[in-house]
Amino acid sequence: MSSFGDTLKSLRNEKNLTQEELSNILNISRSSIASYETNRKQPDHSKLKIFSDFFNVSIDYLLGRTNKRNYDTSTLAFSVDSRIDTEGLSDEDIAIVQATIDAIRKNRKKND
């Protein structure tokens, strides 16, 4: 799987944008974009959301956790505990919550 920097650069090039152009569109400094693309710096959560929205890809795709650009939300079945308030969360946010729960369960099984 690709690094965040490789993925960002690839997505930027797909749109035929320079780092400067992307910087102006997203209001993120060109030096930050350069640092992201060379993996010298990692974006915070708010920047990941900006990139995800702009390129119309999931955050998991940006982070190299999947090769699928987006979740097929029509087929996702969320099993997030009903005690967890998911009101106001996007499908992608809920998928992240579910993935976190799944990872914790998997880790507990591995350690048992």
Side-chain angles (χ1 to χ4, degrees):
M1 304 244 179
S2 298
S3 69
F4 172 77
D6 293 335
T7 302
L8 177 60
K9 185 174 184 176
S10 175
L11 290 168
R12 179 179 59 77
N13 287 331
E14 283 178 17
K15 288 193 175 273
N16 296 312
L17 295 171
T18 64
Q19 289 179 348
E20 188 69 32
E21 291 168 329
L22 184 62
S23 167
N24 291 332
I25 292 167
L26 300 180
N27 197 28
I28 297 172
S29 73
R30 193 211 56 78
S31 63
S32 288
I33 290 173
S35 293
Y36 298 149
E37 288 187 1
T38 56
N39 295 304
R40 289 187 309 236
K41 185 175 165 184
Q42 291 295 309
D44 60 25
H45 291 110
S46 65
K47 297 284 189 311
L48 282 172
K49 180 91 170 100
I50 290 169
F51 288 125
S52 173
D53 291 344
F54 179 75
F55 291 112
N56 192 31
V57 296
S58 71
I59 291 174
D60 280 344
Y61 179 80
L62 283 173
L63 296 176
R65 296 180 60 186
T66 182
N67 289 326
K68 291 185 177 190
R69 287 183 174 226
N70 282 302
Y71 296 105
D72 180 1
T73 57
S74 66
T75 60
L76 280 177
F78 297 112
S79 60
V80 176
D81 190 305
S82 62
R83 294 173 292 181
I84 297 172
D85 180 10
T86 59
E87 185 175 337
L89 298 179
S90 69
D91 287 344
E92 185 172 341
D93 294 336
I94 295 170
I96 292 168
V97 171
Q98 184 62 55
T100 302
I101 290 169
D102 293 345
I104 291 168
R105 283 185 182 133
K106 183 177 181 181
N107 190 38
R108 284 214 172 135
K109 284 181 184 177
K110 187 172 70 173
N111 290 330
D112 285 343

